[in-house]
């Protein structure tokens, strides 16, 4: 089906190209007259002698445009952009196939003003760039005062589950960056860091669903880049914020940016106290062997839990940039985060039947209460050095070196009391867990960019990443027995890439290849001490090495009147991370025990996309994407059962094929209302699978050989969908409102499915004192419907569960802005490399920039 779509699309493109091949066209480039920077997204309108608009377009990231489809005749070209004086030129197409090149034209910023004019409006929350969608965080009223996780949950196509894990278009294999770099984030710690990172420090979210060979192939669903605020003005600029929420949380933050001559300085500090109240419930049935079409339950277990967690964290970021000469930029970035946390959870269990038939399922067997009390300390460090040498506007080299670290210490106490109805027996268990995580790494990156003759762009680079991860678990039981585990995961990666692209008429083509060589080693040392003091040790070591190529191909064709068609292909990868490999058992819930699988291997994806974008002069945008992903050796969650205990791990189960479409529309309903709607439809097929780990492996992981040793399933087919709508309202008296609604349909997995879920967030913002003072009030999950519900099914167990992370919460934030707010930025619209705030040193290279 996808091949047919590609053939149809290419045929339509070929027909369109043929139709315009014999017609004339006009091309040129627009720049800011003050600083010479390209003007992106400027409007170019072509009118005939009667003043009727014939065609038009917008400029690209380099300020360039090329508009085809002009018959022989005389035309007027009008180039305009908000805040600039429009220019008008006359052109004459005298023959078919003629190109009228108006050259580089400089737009003058509008500086004259007869009287003060105040325009109340709202910048668009979403815009499209060549290879990504960009979401403006500064206009997201509903996430003000929250965390990065809260902000990501409002971005179209992105989902954040109850554990803080992020997925893109229903796929959890997504890479998250901060300012174009991993910055110490990994699948193991990103949930914690995103929950600690304040949303107030974030400028925008970039969603790259199919990155080119220039970027890391990690994450088969794509890349989410979190861009932190980095204001640049001539002089100084800053703000102070304070806020609180109805859960008892509060936050303070401040930032200042100074730009004097050749120096730029920036400092961000924030203090956050968080408090969340969650809970859950579950119903579980242990089933008899399948004799009839509907197995009868041997026992039922009902759970109800209440959770309260909170903590404090301090986030800081320091940036210093020096411009010694016009061609050299040197930058240093230091970022850190310190935090602590507390968690209290109570789970109440009620079991009917004993699971073996001695006690019937309509008879109470026992009730039980499990209490968890834990506290943690964590810190994150990231240091970066950046250097750029500019040979010319289209010829430069970037070098960066960074060092990151993430540490967490956690102490937990688990107490559980059983009250048996049949014997009046009471049993109490107690476990004390002391665990620590220490992840460190270094990254070296070198990128070279040059534009050759005829707008041919060559990019090449190297990236090396060196990781050392270590985790320990020290577990003591009530009888005095002890288990100590030391798990080490080290990985070194070397990557080189080469991309080459250019324009052929109205078609832009870019091809590239990335070669990656990586090797990893795991060392698992476990010592068990019995109550009599006797020790037993178990050591396991594994190492593997890989060398793979990751090609990419992008073809884009500019159609008349703001239409664009894109086709691309990339090969991507998902490597197992330390937590998925670590066999240490997580026991916060005595009946749902999780551990990693050291036998995991990477999964690989071939990803195809077809994109169509239409932009109207009014600013309305329509984007349609069709995508196909074929993934081999899929890593998925597998569950073994023993009685009423579920053991959850990861395994390479099968192959998966996904076919989907995404429709994104921005509509300005009126001067005071704008809607952004995202609809995702995707079909998924998982091949039949059979996973038989063997009894020795199970005994090592679960401590029992009675656990089901084979997990298998038939071919799974499912259709999933989700929709999200963001409504922005601009009201009189400097008031803005925002409503964000989402709904996710049923999603089928390997051993069950997740149920539908919806949610609604609301926010209102009021400005005072000419926008120097801003009050924001918002409500998250105002309908209390954001609950994660799932069903697990196997021949021996059926379970329905429901969990919620937080109930309806209202936040109030007050912001005061100070500094020389009326001075112009040094850079023009978009700044270098499309930085809306002008940027400081702009790094477009990279393997991971």
């Amino acid at each position: 089906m996808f091949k047919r779509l590609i053939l149809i699309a290419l045929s339509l493109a070929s027909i369109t190209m043929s139709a315009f091949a014999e017609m004339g066209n006009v091309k040129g480039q627009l720049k800011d007259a003050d600083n010479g920077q390209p003007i992106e997204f400027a409007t170019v309108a072509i009118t005939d002698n009667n003043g009727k608009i014939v065609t038009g377009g917008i400029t690209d990231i380099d300020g360039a445009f090329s508009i085809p489809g002009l018959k022989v005749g005389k035309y007027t070209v009008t180039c305009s952009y908000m805040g600039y004086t429009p220019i008008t030129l006359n052109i004459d197409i005298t023959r078919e196939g003629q190109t009228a090149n108006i050259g580089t034209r400089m737009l003058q910023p509008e500086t004259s003003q007869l009287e003060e004019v105040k325009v109340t409006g709202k910048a668009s929350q979403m815009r499209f760039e060549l290879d990504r969608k960009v979401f403006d965080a500064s206009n997201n009223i509903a996430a003000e005062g929250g965390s990065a996780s809260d902000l990501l949950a409002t971005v179209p196509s992105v989902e954040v589950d109850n554990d803080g894990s992020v997925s893109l278009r229903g796929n959890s294999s997504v890479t998250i960056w901060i300012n174009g770099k991993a910055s110490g984030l990994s699948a193991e710690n990103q949930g914690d860091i995103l929950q600690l990172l304040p949303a107030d420090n974030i400028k925008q979210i970039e969603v790259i669903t199919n990155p080119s060979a220039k970027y890391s192939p990690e994450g088969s669903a794509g890349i989410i880049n979190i861009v932190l605020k980095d204001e640049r003005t001539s002089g100084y600029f800053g703000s102070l914020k304070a806020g609180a929420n109805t859960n008892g949380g509060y936050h303070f933050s401040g930032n200042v940016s100074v730009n004097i001559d050749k120096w730029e300085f920036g400092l961000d500090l924030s203090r956050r106290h968080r408090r969340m109240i969650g809970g859950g419930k579950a119903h579980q049935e242990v089933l008899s062997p399948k004799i009839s079409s509907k197995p009868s339950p041997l026992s039922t277990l009902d759970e109800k839990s209440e959770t309260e967690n909170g903590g404090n964290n301090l986030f800081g970021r320091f940036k210093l940039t020096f411009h010694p000469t016009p061609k050299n930029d040197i930058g240093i970035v230091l970022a850190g985060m310190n935090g602590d946390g507390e968690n209290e959870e109570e789970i109440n269990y009620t079991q009917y039947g004993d699971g073996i038939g001695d006690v019937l399922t309509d008879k109470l067997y026992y009730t039980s209460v499990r209490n968890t009390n834990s506290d943690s300390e964590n810190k994150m460090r990231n240091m970066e050095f950046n250097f750029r040498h500019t040979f010319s506007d289209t010829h430069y080299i970037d070098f960066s070196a960074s060092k990151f670290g993430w540490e967490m210490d956690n102490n937990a106490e688990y107490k559980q009391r059983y009250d048996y109805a049949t014997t009046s027996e009471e049993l109490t268990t107690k476990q004390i867990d002391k665990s620590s995580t220490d992840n460190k790494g270094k990254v070296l990156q070198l990128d070279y960019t040059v534009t050759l003759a005829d707008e041919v762009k060559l990019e090449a680079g190297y990236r090396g990443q060196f990781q050392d991860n270590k985790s320990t678990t020290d577990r003591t039981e009530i009888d005095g027995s002890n288990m100590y585990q030391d798990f080490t995961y080290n990985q070194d990666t070397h990557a080189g890439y080469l991309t080459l692209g250019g324009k052929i008429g109205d078609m832009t083509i870019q091809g590239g290849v990335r070669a990656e060589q990586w090797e990893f080693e795991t060392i698992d040392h476990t010592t068990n001490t019995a109550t009599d003091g006797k020790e037993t040790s178990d050591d396991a070591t594994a190492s593997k090495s890989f060398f793979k190529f990751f090609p990419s191909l992008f073809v884009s064709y500019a159609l008349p009147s703001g239409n664009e068609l894109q086709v691309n292909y990339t090969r991507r990868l998902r490597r197992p991370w330390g937590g998925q490999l670590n066999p240490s058992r997580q026991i916060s819930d005595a009946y749902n025990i999780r551990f990693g699988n050291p036998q995991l291997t990477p999964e690989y994806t071939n990803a195809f996309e077809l994109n169509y974008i239409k932009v109207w002069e009014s600013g309305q945008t329509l984007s349609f994407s069709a995508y196909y992903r074929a993934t081999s050796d899929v890593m998925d969650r597998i569950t073994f059962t023993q009685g009423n205990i579920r053991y959850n791990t990861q395994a390479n189960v099968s192959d998966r094929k996904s076919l989907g479409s995404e429709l994104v529309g921005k509509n300005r309903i009126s001067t005071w209302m704008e809607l952004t709607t995202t609809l995702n439809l995707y079909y998924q097929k998982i091949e039949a699978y059979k996973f038989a780990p063997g009894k020795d492996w199970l005994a090592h992981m679960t401590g029992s050989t009675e656990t089901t040793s084979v997990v298998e399933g038939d071919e799974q087919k499912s259709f999933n969908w989700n929709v999200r709508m963001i409504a922005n309202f601009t009201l009189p008296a400097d008031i803005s409102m925002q409503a964000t609604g989402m709904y996710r349909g049923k999603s089928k997995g390997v051993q069950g499915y997740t149920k539908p879920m919806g949610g609604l967030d609301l926010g209102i913002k009021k400005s005072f004192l000419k926008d120097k003072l801003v009050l924001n009030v918002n409500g998250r999950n105002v309908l209390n419907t954001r609950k994660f519900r799932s069903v697990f099914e196997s021949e021996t167990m059926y379970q329905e569960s429901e969990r919620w992370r937080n109930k309806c919460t209202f936040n109030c934030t007050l912001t005061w802005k100070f500094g020389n707010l009326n001075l112009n930025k040094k850079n023009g619209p978009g700044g270098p490399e499309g930085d809306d705030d002008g940027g400081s040193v702009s790094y477009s290279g990279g393997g991971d920039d």
Side-chain angles (χ1 to χ4, degrees):
M1 181 184 298
F2 187 79
K3 290 180 180 178
R4 292 178 180 174
L5 286 173
I6 293 293
L7 289 174
I8 293 171
L10 291 178
S11 298
L12 289 173
S14 176
I15 293 171
T16 306
M17 291 173 62
S18 299
F20 287 105
E22 299 302 324
M23 304 183 76
N25 66 88
V26 58
K27 70 177 185 178
Q29 185 182 31
L30 301 181
K31 289 187 176 183
D32 186 303
D34 284 353
N35 54 41
Q37 293 294 332
I39 301 179
E40 185 182 5
F41 296 117
T43 301
V44 181
I46 313 294
T47 57
D48 59 18
N49 288 333
N50 297 320
K52 181 181 178 181
I53 295 180
V54 178
T55 183
I58 58 175
T59 57
D60 61 17
I61 193 172
D62 297 319
F65 65 89
S66 180
I67 302 173
L70 298 179
K71 299 179 181 179
V72 173
K74 296 181 182 296
Y75 299 94
T76 299
V77 181
T78 303
C79 305
S80 60
Y81 189 80
M82 184 177 295
Y84 289 79
T85 302
I87 61 172
T88 301
L89 303 165
N90 296 320
I91 62 171
D92 189 2
I93 303 296
T94 59
R95 66 181 187 278
E96 294 182 348
Q98 177 186 346
T99 297
N101 188 351
I102 69 170
T104 300
R105 298 289 173 167
M106 314 302 286
L107 294 187
Q108 293 285 349
E110 293 179 342
T111 55
S112 60
Q113 183 173 297
L114 298 179
E115 59 182 80
E116 181 179 4
V117 177
K118 185 174 183 180
V119 179
T120 302
K122 192 173 187 67
S124 177
Q125 195 169 4
M126 180 182 68
R127 71 177 189 271
F128 294 89
E129 294 186 0
L130 181 63
D131 62 346
R132 67 196 66 190
K133 297 183 182 73
V134 181
F135 300 89
D136 185 4
S138 61
N139 285 326
N140 197 313
I141 304 173
E144 182 80 21
S147 66
S149 292
D150 298 327
L151 178 60
L152 284 172
T154 68
V155 174
S157 306
V158 178
E159 295 179 1
V160 181
D161 69 13
N162 199 53
D163 298 318
S165 298
V166 179
S167 60
L168 179 60
R169 289 178 174 174
N171 189 338
S172 61
S173 176
V174 57
T175 296
I176 299 180
W177 291 339
I178 296 178
N179 285 348
K181 296 180 174 65
S183 302
L185 267 74
S186 66
E188 188 169 10
N189 62 30
Q190 69 181 24
D192 295 311
I193 294 179
L194 294 176
Q195 182 58 38
L196 298 175
L197 181 64
D200 297 340
N201 293 80
I202 298 173
K203 179 182 115 180
Q204 64 190 34
I205 304 292
E206 299 177 347
V207 178
I208 313 171
T209 54
N210 213 18
S212 72
K214 176 180 177 180
Y215 302 93
S216 168
E218 185 73 43
S220 56
I223 297 170
I224 297 175
N225 184 30
I226 299 173
V227 181
L228 300 181
K229 291 179 179 177
D230 189 16
E231 306 289 349
R232 183 186 180 188
T233 59
S234 299
Y236 71 98
F237 171 85
S239 66
L240 296 174
K241 290 189 179 186
N245 63 48
T246 52
N247 271 348
Y250 56 84
H251 59 95
F252 305 96
S253 66
N255 67 81
V256 62
S257 297
V258 180
N259 179 16
I260 302 174
D261 194 19
K262 296 180 179 181
W263 294 89
E264 295 175 39
F265 163 83
L267 179 65
D268 297 276
L269 289 174
S270 63
R271 171 79 156 75
R272 221 171 148 247
H273 173 73
R274 63 192 186 282
R275 185 169 178 266
M276 301 179 68
I277 300 175
K281 60 182 180 179
H283 174 76
Q284 176 181 285
E285 297 179 0
V286 176
L287 306 176
S288 62
K290 191 172 183 179
I291 300 174
S292 62
S293 60
K294 187 177 182 181
S296 59
L298 293 173
S299 67
T300 61
L301 178 69
D302 292 306
E303 299 180 24
K304 183 176 288 188
S305 64
E306 293 181 356
T307 304
E308 181 177 333
N309 61 66
N312 304 281
N313 67 283
L314 177 66
F315 172 81
R317 182 171 179 262
F318 169 82
K319 180 170 183 177
L320 181 65
T321 304
F322 176 50
H323 309 277
T325 69
K327 292 184 177 294
N328 293 287
D329 301 301
I330 301 172
I332 296 175
V333 180
L334 304 176
M337 187 185 303
N338 275 18
D340 60 67
E342 294 181 351
N343 179 67
E344 295 182 3
E345 182 179 38
E346 180 175 290
I347 307 177
N348 289 273
Y349 304 93
T350 304
Q351 180 168 329
Y352 290 85
D354 60 1
I356 57 177
D358 292 344
V359 178
L360 300 178
T361 54
D362 61 348
K363 299 294 184 181
L364 178 65
Y365 185 45
Y366 71 76
T367 59
S368 178
V369 178
R370 184 177 181 86
N371 292 100
T372 300
N373 291 277
S374 66
D375 59 82
S376 62
E377 293 184 359
N378 56 73
K379 61 182 180 180
M380 183 269 284
R381 300 288 184 267
N382 187 63
M383 297 178 288
E384 297 176 16
F385 170 80
N386 301 305
F387 171 75
R388 165 176 283 195
H389 177 71
T390 303
F391 303 97
S392 69
D393 290 343
T394 58
H395 187 193
Y396 45 87
I397 188 168
D398 291 315
F399 171 76
S400 67
S402 61
K403 181 179 180 181
F404 59 85
W406 165 260
E407 298 178 21
M408 174 179 279
D409 295 314
N410 187 76
N411 297 314
E413 182 181 80
Y414 307 98
K415 291 182 179 179
Q416 188 157 354
R417 188 186 77 249
Y418 297 84
D419 296 310
Y420 291 89
T422 56
T423 62
S424 69
E425 177 187 2
E426 289 187 5
L427 175 64
T428 300
T429 65
K430 180 180 177 181
Q431 295 169 314
I432 297 177
D433 265 24
K434 295 181 180 180
S435 60
S436 66
T437 300
D438 186 1
N439 297 343
K440 298 177 180 178
K442 302 180 183 68
V443 177
L444 297 175
Q445 192 164 302
L446 182 66
D447 302 292
Y448 176 76
T449 302
V450 61
T451 300
L452 307 173
D454 299 324
E455 299 184 0
V456 176
K457 189 175 184 179
L458 172 70
E459 297 172 300
Y462 162 82
R463 181 177 189 269
Q465 180 167 332
F466 313 95
Q467 297 173 256
D468 298 307
N469 303 330
K470 183 177 181 179
S471 62
T472 62
T473 302
D474 189 346
R475 180 171 298 147
T476 303
E477 305 284 349
I478 193 173
D479 59 5
S481 60
N482 175 267
M483 186 279 292
Y484 178 83
Q485 185 204 39
D486 188 322
F487 181 79
T488 302
Y489 171 72
N490 300 323
Q491 178 174 290
D492 293 341
T493 304
H494 299 273
Y497 73 91
L498 177 69
T499 67
L500 185 66
K503 288 186 176 181
I504 304 175
D506 296 310
M507 179 178 291
T508 303
I509 301 176
Q510 184 200 72
V513 64
R514 187 183 185 94
E516 290 212 358
Q517 187 275 330
W518 73 96
E519 55 186 23
F520 73 86
E521 179 185 47
T522 61
I523 303 172
D524 178 22
H525 173 76
T526 305
T527 301
N528 289 286
T529 304
T531 54
D532 58 4
K534 292 184 179 180
E535 289 187 358
T536 58
S537 295
D538 187 10
D539 293 289
T541 302
S543 61
K544 293 182 181 180
S545 180
F546 301 86
F547 180 79
K548 301 290 182 182
F549 288 100
F550 300 92
S552 68
L553 178 64
F554 287 74
V555 179
S556 177
Y557 184 64
L559 301 170
S561 304
N563 295 274
E564 187 170 357
L565 186 67
Q566 301 174 344
V567 180
N568 56 64
Y569 159 77
T570 66
R571 186 177 189 231
R572 302 199 59 76
L573 152 85
R574 183 187 185 188
R575 284 180 276 247
W577 48 277
Q580 291 177 306
L581 299 168
N582 188 351
S584 177
R585 297 195 293 173
Q586 306 298 313
I587 58 171
S588 58
D589 184 341
Y591 295 93
N592 290 279
I593 297 175
R594 295 178 294 167
F595 50 86
N597 177 6
Q599 302 173 356
L600 282 177
T601 58
E603 66 177 46
Y604 301 93
T605 298
N606 288 306
F608 302 83
E609 275 198 18
L610 173 67
N611 300 309
Y612 167 75
I613 300 174
K614 165 65 177 176
V615 180
W616 285 268
E617 290 187 12
S618 60
Q620 299 190 95
T621 306
L622 176 67
S623 167
F624 171 78
S625 300
Y627 53 91
Y628 172 76
R629 303 184 187 275
T631 305
S632 59
D633 295 327
V634 173
M635 292 185 290
D636 213 328
R637 178 176 292 183
I638 290 292
T639 299
F640 307 95
T641 60
Q642 180 186 7
N644 54 14
I645 298 179
R646 297 173 61 200
Y647 295 99
N648 303 283
T649 188
Q650 297 275 330
N652 297 98
V653 292
S654 183
D655 295 339
R656 178 178 61 210
K657 293 179 174 61
S658 302
L659 178 66
S661 62
E662 180 182 62
L663 187 66
V664 181
K666 290 196 307 178
N667 304 97
R668 184 167 292 278
I669 306 302
S670 66
T671 56
W672 55 272
M673 180 180 180
E674 182 182 81
L675 291 180
T676 301
T677 307
T678 305
L679 174 65
N680 268 289
L681 309 170
Y682 47 97
Y683 167 82
Q684 178 173 276
K685 183 176 78 171
I686 301 174
E687 304 293 344
Y689 63 91
K690 183 176 182 179
F691 182 68
K695 291 187 176 182
D696 292 339
W697 187 85
L698 289 172
H700 177 69
M701 296 298 170
T702 67
S704 173
T705 58
E706 298 178 10
T707 310
T708 304
S709 58
V710 176
V711 177
E712 57 184 323
D714 298 328
E715 180 183 85
Q716 301 279 352
K717 297 179 180 180
S718 64
F719 174 77
N720 309 314
W721 68 281
N722 61 69
V723 63
R724 190 188 307 267
M725 179 176 287
I726 302 174
N728 289 307
F729 305 90
T730 302
L731 305 177
D734 289 333
I735 296 176
S736 301
M737 291 182 61
Q738 185 180 95
T740 303
M742 59 79 61
Y743 184 84
R744 185 188 68 194
K746 177 180 175 181
S747 177
K748 201 167 185 180
V750 174
Q751 291 179 284
Y753 58 91
T754 59
K755 294 184 177 181
M757 180 182 71
L760 177 64
D761 302 325
L762 299 173
I764 185 169
K765 183 171 72 173
K766 163 66 177 172
S767 298
F768 304 90
L769 304 177
K770 297 183 179 180
D771 205 36
K772 291 184 178 180
L773 191 66
V774 179
L775 176 65
N776 185 302
V777 179
N778 62 62
R780 296 273 298 155
N781 192 23
V782 294
L783 301 179
N784 273 328
T785 55
R786 193 171 282 124
K787 299 179 179 180
F788 298 86
R789 301 178 298 160
S790 62
V791 172
F792 167 78
E793 296 175 299
S794 73
E795 290 189 354
T796 57
M797 182 179 289
Y798 175 85
Q799 176 175 293
E800 292 188 26
S801 62
E802 179 179 297
R803 293 186 299 160
W804 52 91
R805 193 176 184 182
N806 215 358
K807 293 185 177 181
C808 174
T809 305
F810 287 92
N811 300 272
C812 180
T813 302
L814 189 64
T815 304
W816 175 54
K817 302 176 184 178
F818 60 88
N820 52 343
L821 304 180
N822 295 323
L823 293 181
N824 291 328
K825 298 175 182 178
K826 284 189 174 181
N827 295 316
E833 303 299 333
D835 185 351
D836 283 344
D837 293 309
S840 46
V841 186
S842 178
Y843 298 98
S844 65
D848 294 308
D849 263 344

